[in-house]
Amino acid sequence: MTFIFVMGCGHTGSSILARVLGSHPDVYFIDYESGAFLANRFFENQQILDKFSADATSMKCQFILEKTPRHIWHVDYIMSLVPTSKIIITFRNGFHVVASLIKRG
């Protein structure tokens, strides 16, 4: 089972990328931001990973895709817990990010 983590600054396309990748039949897509590696989940992250693995196994998926943009600050920690994981970091021109934020309100 391979974990794929999509992360990056907000408004850089991480949601769109995760939905596209998550539509593949071999990918178990967690369609919410789990925040599994944020500080407030420190004592729960192994339980969260085990649940994702069990769910993916029951769906006969080879990959688990999780998207929490704020995980960008915890890449070292993620790699220490799940060293075989793949990390995808999205980025976008800063002017376009700001324009997207302004458009959102």
Side-chain angles (χ1 to χ4, degrees):
M1 191 81 47
T2 302
F3 278 87
I4 304 168
F5 296 99
V6 176
M7 57 188 74
C9 182
H11 294 262
T12 58
S14 59
S15 295
I16 294 169
L17 177 63
R19 278 190 298 239
V20 170
L21 295 174
S23 68
H24 193 281
D26 289 339
V27 175
Y28 176 69
F29 176 44
I30 299 141
D31 60 352
Y32 61 93
E33 293 181 13
S34 74
F37 300 100
L38 301 179
N40 64 339
R41 294 281 181 93
F42 180 77
F43 296 106
E44 302 171 9
N45 47 33
Q46 190 58 53
Q47 295 165 332
I48 294 168
L49 293 175
D50 292 343
K51 180 190 178 315
F52 292 161
S53 294
D55 293 346
T57 300
S58 70
M59 301 284 290
K60 297 182 172 75
C61 294
Q62 297 175 3
F63 302 95
I64 300 169
L65 177 66
E66 195 278 343
K67 181 209 70 104
T68 299
R70 291 176 294 157
H71 281 162
I72 189 79
W73 302 107
H74 307 287
V75 173
D76 290 341
Y77 180 59
I78 291 169
M79 293 305 290
S80 73
L81 289 179
V82 193
T84 59
S85 64
K86 306 299 180 196
I87 306 289
I88 300 174
I89 299 174
T90 58
F91 64 94
R92 183 178 182 190
N93 180 303
F95 292 111
H96 297 155
V97 172
V98 171
S100 176
L101 287 166
I102 290 170
K103 186 176 179 180
R104 182 178 248 187

